[in-house]
Amino acid sequence: MSPLLALRDVHVRFDTAAGTVRAVNGVSLELAAGETLGLVGESGCGKSTLGKAILKLVPVSAGAVEIEGTDIAPLQGRALGELRRKVQMIFQDPYGSLNPRSTVGRSVAQPMVVAGWKPDAIRERVATLLRWVGLPDDARQRYPHEFSGGQRQRIGIARALALSPKLIVCDEPVSALDVSVRAQVINLLEDLKQQSGVSYLFISHDLSVVEHIADRVAVMYLGTIVEAGGRDQIWRRPQHPYTRGLLEAAPVANPRLARARTRTVLQGELPSPLNPPAGCPFHSRCPIAQERCRSDRPVLRPVDGGSVAACHFV
């Protein structure tokens, strides 16, 4: 069965006065229908850029993004509109992604208006979507500033679901929310997945959130995927030093467990995508780097447990 989403050696580059920024540097991934793929990594590693490339919000410099086997690069006009019906996005900032001058009802209805739905069908669908995301029907007459951050994110989710997409790119959808509201939104996304069968590409730097929602996980560093596999495999037996560092740096609620565990401390800062290091992109911060890592770039290869990792020493 062909994947819903396939990324084939995707590159995204931006030319600036200082040089060429290699935001995404050869990413290949697949996402099946009904699956949630977590994409994790530090800020600045290219996660959000990759998510925008999937919706053709930024151009792909090389490689291919395929939705149900169709390369999106040449799509324009009506064909691009059809893509946007299949793939939607939930943005990190729920307030910034909503028009403050539009009522909630108009914001949620906008995709259906663009798609040419009839007014009666739009009203019925808006009422259904607001009910799905746990907002009262009278929310349609109110404005975004009248809602809390968690409620505004629910509005963004309702709008993303308006045209029954097959894939939703969730770009840090809960990072701006407090812990209790974060859990509510994650549970809502899981419930909606069960109801509609939608797939998620869930982008986050919060590993505890990804552990809760993802079926599989891909770890991104400096524009490349350094490890990918099933959620349990990644959490229980991480193979790449960067993955181990991310997991061991994540907060632990139990202080006794926090004191007992070993830690692989990530040293230094993320290198600039303007001038990425030669060889392994992680070697300048890696605790087990050797001379080979400075010159030879590792490729993703199978490791024990069914995952893949790009490291010479896994």
Side-chain angles (χ1 to χ4, degrees), residues 145-272:
H145 72 271
E146 300 179 63
F147 295 89
S148 67
Q151 289 173 320
R152 286 196 288 263
Q153 196 58 287
R154 289 170 182 264
I155 296 166
I157 293 170
R159 184 176 60 183
L161 288 166
L163 298 177
S164 300
K166 296 182 178 182
L167 170 64
I168 297 179
V169 177
C170 305
D171 186 12
E172 301 273 10
V174 296
S175 63
L177 308 177
D178 62 44
V179 174
S180 61
V181 178
R182 191 177 305 172
Q184 293 173 15
V185 173
I186 291 299
N187 289 335
L188 171 62
L189 288 171
E190 288 193 307
D191 290 343
L192 293 172
K193 177 183 173 182
Q194 296 299 320
Q195 291 176 29
S196 65
V198 67
S199 299
Y200 297 129
L201 176 65
F202 194 94
I203 298 169
S204 181
H205 65 273
D206 189 330
L207 297 180
S208 63
V209 170
V210 173
E211 183 183 17
H212 185 76
I213 196 171
D215 301 305
R216 291 190 301 117
V217 177
V219 182
M220 196 168 185
Y221 182 81
L222 203 63
T224 67
I225 301 299
V226 297
E227 186 167 0
R231 176 195 58 200
D232 293 342
Q233 167 70 9
I234 295 294
W235 255 256
R236 293 174 184 172
R237 297 187 63 192
Q239 300 292 316
H240 197 282
Y242 180 61
T243 307
R244 291 197 293 269
L246 288 178
L247 291 171
E248 291 165 8
V252 175
N254 188 326
R256 184 177 299 175
L257 292 177
R259 288 192 297 269
R261 69 179 179 176
T262 59
R263 298 177 69 89
T264 302
V265 180
L266 295 175
Q267 302 291 338
E269 298 294 329
L270 189 74
S272 170

Side-chain angles (χ1 to χ4, degrees), residues 4-89:
L4 172 63
L5 168 69
L7 307 179
R8 315 287 190 195
D9 194 28
V10 172
H11 295 253
V12 178
R13 305 186 186 99
F14 302 105
D15 292 326
T16 70
T20 299
V21 176
R22 297 171 176 84
V24 179
N25 199 18
V27 168
S28 295
L29 286 172
E30 292 186 351
L31 175 63
E35 183 181 41
T36 298
L37 174 64
L39 184 62
V40 302
E42 295 168 286
S43 296
C45 73
K47 306 185 303 295
S48 293
T49 300
L50 183 61
K52 292 174 182 176
I54 292 169
L55 282 95
K56 210 179 176 184
L57 298 178
V58 298
V60 171
S61 306
V65 176
E66 298 177 0
I67 305 294
E68 294 186 318
T70 299
D71 185 359
I72 71 169
L75 299 184
Q76 295 183 8
R78 181 175 296 179
L80 183 58
E82 289 296 325
L83 168 71
R84 297 274 162 77
R85 296 184 190 190
K86 295 179 181 179
V87 187
Q88 288 288 308
M89 193 165 195

Side-chain angles (χ1 to χ4, degrees), residues 94-104 107 110 143-145 159:
Y95 191 67
S97 64
L98 297 170
N99 185 344
R101 293 185 174 88
S102 288
T103 63
V104 167
S107 291
Q110 185 180 21
Y143 290 85
H145 72 271
R159 184 176 60 183

